[in-house]
Amino acid sequence: MAVQSSTSPEMHAAASNGVGSAQFQFFVWREFLWGAMAGAFGEGMMHPIDTIKTRIQSQAILTGSQKEKTIFQMVRTVWSADGLRGFYRGVTPGITGSLATGATYFGFIESTKNWIDESHPDLGGHWSHFIAGAMGDTLGSFVYVPCEVMKQRMQVQGTAASWSPLALKDNAPVKPGGQMYGYYTGMFHAGRSIWMEQGLRGLFAGYLSTLARDVPFAGLMVMFYEALKDITSYGKQKWAPNSNYSISSLFEGLLLGGLAGGCSAYLTTPLDVVKTRLQVQGPTVRYNGWLDAIHRIWLIEGPKGLFRGSIPRITWYIPASALTFMAVEFLRDHFNEGSLDRKDAEKVPNLPIDRKGSIREVA
């Protein structure tokens, strides 16, 4: 039985416009802008921790040592050798890469989710979120990967006074006194030097391993985030159905974004180790591709080698993801034109409407 509504034509038109605007979100510049700003904000805030993670993961290449330094030992090493500047080496390419991947990730994600929900409902649920996040991050990889190569090489170099590693292979110097690559004074110098020495292949070193890490990471993060939002909503409906209390979108983004980022980061740590090793090794080839890297790391260092830097990686991603999701929610709530306030929107009941614009009676 359908109950006719006197406002059904207007509601139907509004619903149609809503669907059209949702499908068109991919082309709205604001979504790309908010994602870029949030990504750069998170990277800039957490870059020192990323530097520690990168150095821990790459020390087997730089020093040939299989003994992993702890986080505090690495912090002390960086501080004593390079001071505060050492923690922020590579921050410019890091922010540049995060601008690109943040824009495509958040700008592409909503429209992709809507497209999958509308065109491929069988995928439905959280799988649509996984695919949306994976596709958005893949698009940003064309800018992100070269920036990541430059960033990580600058991170392991520190300052000019402390950069003098031997080129190692099988824990032995390849050439006495030889260096892996020269010291980079900045982002453009790094890009030009890598291009001159290794060409496009050098700038995209570890590209497949980066996709192998970031595609599942991006998909898992948005899937966990949406799942946690659903759990939060379900918990409120079950245990506090009559409560007028609503969770702030900023707090929701901060807490749930951090949890989603931390879980995803730990699960993809082995892929991150492989990517870092391939990008840091330079022209002196130690690993011939990511499959060879996985095999050799497992053979020489065991499972522990694949999870090197997992603690600083999680320590980086929990606050970075929290800050990023919080920033996106803040920008959407305060600067998106024509958007309803989150608290007011939660008060609007979800009415079942059929294709004719009629409100269906709920049994």
Side-chain angles (χ1 to χ4, degrees):
M1 176 180 179
V3 179
Q4 293 295 328
S5 171
S6 60
T7 60
S8 60
E10 289 79 8
M11 293 175 68
H12 185 234
S16 299
N17 292 336
V19 172
S21 62
Q23 292 175 339
F24 196 69
Q25 278 296 318
F26 175 70
F27 301 100
V28 178
W29 63 267
R30 285 191 301 270
E31 289 295 318
F32 290 92
L33 180 60
W34 303 157
M37 292 172 65
F41 175 68
E43 167 66 28
M45 293 290 290
M46 303 307 299
H47 185 80
I49 297 178
D50 184 59
T51 298
I52 297 302
K53 186 249 344 170
T54 300
R55 291 209 180 189
I56 288 176
Q57 290 181 339
S58 59
Q59 61 184 328
I61 292 178
L62 299 176
T63 65
S65 174
Q66 304 304 322
K67 184 178 180 181
E68 179 181 349
K69 287 185 178 181
T70 65
I71 296 176
F72 296 107
Q73 287 174 335
M74 187 60 74
V75 169
R76 191 161 54 244
T77 298
V78 175
W79 179 262
S80 60
D82 305 316
L84 186 62
R85 289 181 59 192
F87 293 98
Y88 284 92
R89 280 283 292 169
V91 68
T92 302
I95 290 177
T96 303
S98 294
L99 281 169
T101 193
T104 56
Y105 185 71
F106 287 102
F108 194 72
I109 196 170
E110 292 300 327
S111 59
T112 306
K113 287 194 300 181
N114 291 334
W115 178 77
I116 292 175
D117 289 340
E118 292 292 331
S119 304
H120 303 279
D122 292 340
L123 291 175
H126 298 304
W127 278 113
S128 64
H129 303 148
F130 181 95
I131 295 173
M135 292 178 68
D137 202 81
T138 300
L139 287 177
S141 66
F142 296 105
V143 175
Y144 173 75
V145 172
C147 290
E148 184 77 353
V149 172
M150 291 183 281
K151 181 195 78 172
Q152 293 196 323
R153 291 195 184 184
M154 293 174 70
Q155 283 176 320
V156 299
Q157 285 181 338
T159 59
S162 62
W163 174 242
S164 58
L166 294 174
L168 299 176
K169 189 171 184 179
D170 298 327
N171 298 335
V174 175
K175 183 175 65 175
Q179 288 190 327
M180 295 169 64
Y181 35 78
Y183 184 78
Y184 305 136
T185 58
M187 175 179 172
F188 294 106
H189 181 218
R192 186 172 62 252
S193 299
I194 296 171
W195 174 267
M196 295 296 293
E197 293 177 8
Q198 298 176 266
L200 196 63
R201 184 176 182 180
L203 287 171
F204 281 88
Y207 181 75
L208 293 179
S209 61
T210 300
L211 288 184
R213 179 201 69 172
D214 286 353
V215 167
F217 171 79
L220 286 171
M221 184 165 66
V222 70
M223 186 175 72
F224 286 153
Y225 182 70
E226 296 294 340
L228 289 170
K229 287 175 67 176
D230 290 346
I231 292 172
T232 302
S233 178
Y234 174 79
K236 181 182 176 182
Q237 292 177 3
K238 183 175 182 179
W239 288 293
N242 299 321
S243 175
N244 293 326
Y245 175 77
S246 61
I247 300 176
S248 167
S249 61
L250 298 184
F251 179 76
E252 184 179 70
L254 185 70
L255 179 62
L256 303 186
L259 289 174
C263 293
S264 304
Y266 180 75
L267 293 175
T268 55
T269 295
L271 300 172
D272 184 54
V273 172
V274 172
K275 179 201 74 74
T276 300
R277 298 278 182 94
L278 289 173
Q279 292 179 333
V280 168
Q281 68 179 347
T284 303
V285 178
R286 181 187 178 99
Y287 305 111
N288 294 308
W290 64 283
L291 286 177
D292 180 59
I294 292 175
H295 174 73
R296 289 173 62 82
I297 293 171
W298 178 272
L299 193 65
I300 298 173
E301 304 172 51
K304 187 177 180 180
L306 289 172
F307 280 89
R308 283 184 185 269
S310 59
I311 294 177
R313 175 169 164 80
I314 295 170
T315 305
W316 187 90
Y317 266 107
I318 288 178
S321 301
L323 292 171
T324 299
F325 276 100
M326 183 188 71
V328 166
E329 296 290 353
F330 173 82
L331 292 167
R332 284 175 176 169
D333 285 352
H334 288 77
F335 297 102
N336 274 3
E337 297 177 3
S339 61
L340 289 173
D341 183 82
R342 180 71 61 90
K343 294 181 180 179
D344 293 335
E346 289 178 350
K347 298 177 183 178
V348 179
N350 294 322
L351 300 177
I353 303 174
D354 61 23
R355 294 184 177 180
K356 297 180 180 179
S358 302
I359 302 176
R360 298 193 303 273
E361 183 177 10
V362 181

